[in-house]
């Protein structure tokens, strides 16, 4: 099988991840719940993962790295923790439902919401963004579209947002680990990440990095291991936003993955993924009847290529790719409804090929050849 | 080391759990996100875990088993999904902060809250409970105290709650897997569980079982893999309450654990834990200067024994037990502030010994002997 659904979850994890999870399942107690060896080991695993994620993503304080079950929970924590019915927020057509649905729910409660449109190549106009910012409390946007791979210029967006006093919440589910990110240098206030995609860690992990000074209300409340007699969740990060038992087993794996990424260097892995993405793009670009979505004039980009073949339904194409060629891709809607509308693919969806640093040139060429045959 | 902090997390998992997690980390894609082999395998893992949990806990529909990151998130999902500022809720002094803090937050928003007191043995009066129920929308209570192990009579409580039209939300973090539970026979409306304690599965797993007909608002919103073009989270369970990528790796382990529990039989494992708990209780009961908390006249009970030794601070006692005897227990406050107040242990906390089906008689006797020495 050729696995090209890495934008949903990477199948091959970083070296050391499985071993770290296995070891933790034998020795890790409950982090921050007790002072004996296994509890301290679990606490060490969690703190180590915080430190590595902070180093990887440019978060100035390890205790401002909050762990959640996935990027969706991180985005919900950021959005509901910051925004309320009386506020105004701005987002874009590129967003995943993990951004849109929390914002829509707030809109239904009275929050004002403006959505920056995308064109048929999935691009936004930064000038148009600026016009929406006055009076906004937050701008919520993706770093890279999970559908087209188009990357947003976060430094430029952060500068614009801050000019108008808005905070910048970024969905880095598609880029953390695959594209270098330094949230401090970019000016990102809240960076939400998935642990099991580009970070090459286990499922059940994700989180958000908080710029010191940004205050979020807790989404979940419960045991914290400290200040048990307080009625409220303790005010200090990370405890304010983390309730209940940590997934120390999964975080052992995420820590191992982050460790590997730090040693390899995200720059190097990014260059590799960009090369693979370009190779596939160039392999399918000139095939008659194939429509590729997105703006491939700008690099780097998310390592995904979404396309359609002739007038085939995207699900039929994906089924044929899997059944006849053993190529695993994702079809249909990609939880990005507004972008499908913008691209004109709301009905048929799109076939998305997505890569990891472990994808090989041979796999890329085989996938491009399969698309050629399918279109033939 | 003798590990006796199983009420925080079980260190030894059910046979097959580690292998299942390891296998899933090599082969599981993203559940409900794609139709290729790895995605379908992940979906199968998740569904299989739902079916086994439903069988284990007496939930009539597997699609009404909702997975969360831990019991705390399950309780937050149940409490915030059902209750709002205009409602009235009832709870007890026995509760963990994962119940109390969400309820306090709602109380601060205008919800009325009544709390049934516990006596110095951590007991509640069912007659007093009945007086609080008229007009309540929900009663939220634990199945067994995480501090004393006292078990509540859920069948009796459910009958009372339903007599007054209140729904019953149960925190089974301390009992799922350790005490037989059939939520349908007991009359529980929402049963919240932890995956990594008595269920002997990995951290990062937990959930709630919903009686068909009970409607909860979503706590999290995001990608659902279905109905992508809807503004709102899809209305059907489990999707309504599950957003983002599942922890299929962890759920593979939880499914394996549930499979083992079903084969062994929770009745048998419960009998084993009761026997161990009784042996330890009888071993420490008559030691001069040792105070044991809770009502040990009623069995079965949670497999925990909390005590204090002379006038030693509980943390000092736990440190001595770990350092001098290699016995890992939990000291201090146990995220159950009201019960500490009721027991008179708010200042010094308590030393909690908690057992698993894998605890041995030799370990029990060694722990009791260590307490005797410490008290001597």
């Amino acid at each position: 099988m050729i696995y090209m659904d890495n934008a949903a979850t990477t199948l091959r994890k970083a070296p050391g991840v499985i071993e770290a999870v296995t070891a933790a399942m034998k020795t890790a107690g409950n982090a921050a719940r007790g002072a004996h060896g296994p509890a301290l080991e679990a606490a060490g695993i969690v703190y180590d993962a915080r430190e590595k994620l902070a180093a990887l993503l440019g978060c100035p304080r390890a205790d401002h790295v909050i762990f959640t079950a996935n990027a969706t929970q991180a985005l919900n924590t950021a959005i509901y923790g910051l925004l309320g019915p009386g506020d105004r927020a701005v987002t874009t057509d590129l967003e995943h439902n993990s951004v849109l649905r929390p914002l829509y729910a707030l809109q239904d409660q009275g929050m004002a919401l403006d959505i920056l449109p995308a064109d048929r190549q999935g691009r936004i106009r930064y000038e148009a963004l600026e016009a929406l910012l006055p009076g906004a409390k937050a701008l919520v946007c993706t770093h890279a579209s999970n559908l087209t791979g188009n990357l947003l210029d976060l430094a430029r967006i952060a500068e614009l947002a801050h000019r108008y006093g808005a905070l910048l919440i970024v969905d880095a589910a598609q880029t953390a680990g695959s594209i270098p990110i330094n949230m401090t240098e970019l000016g990102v206030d809240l960076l939400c990440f998935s642990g099991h995609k580009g970070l090459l860690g286990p499922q059940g992990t994700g989180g958000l990095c908080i710029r010191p000074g940004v205050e979020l209300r807790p989404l979940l409340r419960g045991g914290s291991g400290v200040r048990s007699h307080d009625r409220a969740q303790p005010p200090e990060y990370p405890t304010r936003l983390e309730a209940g038992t940590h997934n120390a087993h999964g975080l052992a794996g995420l820590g191992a993955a982050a460790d590997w990424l730090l040693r390899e260097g995200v720059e190097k892995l990014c260059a590799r993924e960009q090369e693979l993405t370009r190779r596939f793009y160039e392999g399918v670009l000139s095939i008659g009847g194939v429509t590729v979505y997105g703006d491939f004039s700008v690099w780097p980009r998310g390592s995904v290529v979404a396309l359609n073949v002739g007038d085939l339904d995207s699900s039929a194409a994906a089924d044929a790719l899997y059944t006849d060629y053993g190529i695993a891709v994702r079809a249909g809607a990609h939880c990005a409804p507004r972008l499908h509308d913008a691209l004109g693919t709301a009905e048929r969806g799109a076939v998305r090929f997505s890569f990891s640093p472990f994808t090989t040139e041979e796999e890329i060429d085989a996938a491009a050849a399969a698309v050629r045959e399918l279109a033939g």
Side-chain angles (χ1 to χ4, degrees), chain A residues 63-77:
Chain A
D63 61 2
H64 280 48
V65 177
I66 309 297
F67 288 123
T68 62
N70 52 30
T72 298
Q73 192 184 338
L75 284 159
N76 277 260
T77 301

Side-chain angles (χ1 to χ4, degrees), chain A residues 315-329:
Chain A
S315 296
D319 285 348
L321 286 166
Y322 189 66
T323 307
D324 300 339
Y325 302 93
I327 300 170
V329 296

Side-chain angles (χ1 to χ4, degrees), chain A residues 53 65-74 191-196 199 202-209 242 247 250-251 254:
Chain A
L53 266 297
V65 177
I66 309 297
F67 288 123
T68 62
N70 52 30
T72 298
Q73 192 184 338
L191 185 82
C192 301
F193 62 86
S194 163
H196 63 94
L199 288 172
Q203 292 176 9
T205 66
L208 67 158
C209 299
E242 292 177 344
N247 179 6
L251 291 175
L254 183 60

Side-chain angles (χ1 to χ4, degrees), chain A residues 49-277:
Chain A
R50 286 193 216 283
E51 287 197 316
K52 290 192 174 126
L53 266 297
L56 203 57
L57 300 172
C59 185
R61 290 182 58 162
D63 61 2
H64 280 48
V65 177
I66 309 297
F67 288 123
T68 62
N70 52 30
T72 298
Q73 192 184 338
L75 284 159
N76 277 260
T77 301
I79 291 169
Y80 291 124
L82 190 66
L83 295 164
D87 296 319
R88 199 165 76 76
V90 176
T91 191
T92 85
D93 263 356
L94 275 61
E95 306 311 319
H96 189 275
N97 273 333
S98 52
V99 167
L100 292 175
R101 282 178 170 162
L103 290 175
Y104 288 152
L106 286 169
Q107 190 181 28
D108 292 345
Q109 292 169 31
M111 186 190 75
L113 178 65
D114 286 295
I115 305 180
L116 183 69
D119 66 16
R120 283 188 74 87
Q121 285 189 63
R123 293 174 303 196
I124 57 161
R125 285 180 55 243
Y126 295 92
E127 300 75 17
L129 174 61
E130 184 164 4
L132 300 177
L133 288 170
K137 183 164 184 182
L139 167 61
V140 194
C141 72
T142 191
H143 188 195
S145 161
N146 70 311
L147 178 50
T148 63
N150 288 3
L151 207 74
L152 296 190
D153 183 344
L154 291 183
R156 183 169 176 185
I157 288 174
E159 197 277 319
L160 282 174
H162 295 162
R163 191 184 301 168
Y164 294 95
L167 294 178
L168 175 59
I169 304 176
V170 171
D171 171 7
Q174 290 302 320
T175 55
S178 297
I179 307 260
I181 297 174
N182 184 309
M183 68 177 280
T184 305
E185 287 175 12
L186 291 168
V188 174
D189 298 292
L190 293 161
L191 185 82
C192 301
F193 62 86
S194 163
H196 63 94
K197 298 184 178 183
L199 288 172
L200 304 172
Q203 292 176 9
T205 66
L208 67 158
C209 299
I210 303 176
R211 179 177 63 72
V214 176
E215 304 295 340
L216 295 179
R217 296 180 297 270
L219 179 68
L220 301 172
R221 293 174 179 85
S224 45
V226 295
R227 298 175 182 253
S228 281
H229 286 270
D230 290 1
R231 284 179 98 249
Q233 201 64 11
E236 61 271 17
Y237 294 132
T239 318
R240 189 198 301 189
L241 300 178
E242 292 177 344
T245 300
H246 274 293
N247 179 6
H249 300 156
L251 291 175
L254 183 60
D259 195 43
W260 185 80
L261 290 166
L262 286 166
R263 279 186 281 115
E264 290 289 310
V266 175
E267 291 75 9
K268 181 179 131 190
L269 297 166
C270 175
R272 165 86 187 144
E273 285 192 32
Q274 297 297 308
E275 183 190 302
L276 293 165
T277 306

Side-chain angles (χ1 to χ4, degrees), chain A residues 307-319:
Chain A
L307 53 80
N308 272 310
V309 180
D311 53 7
L312 267 181
D313 179 76
S314 69
S315 296
D319 285 348

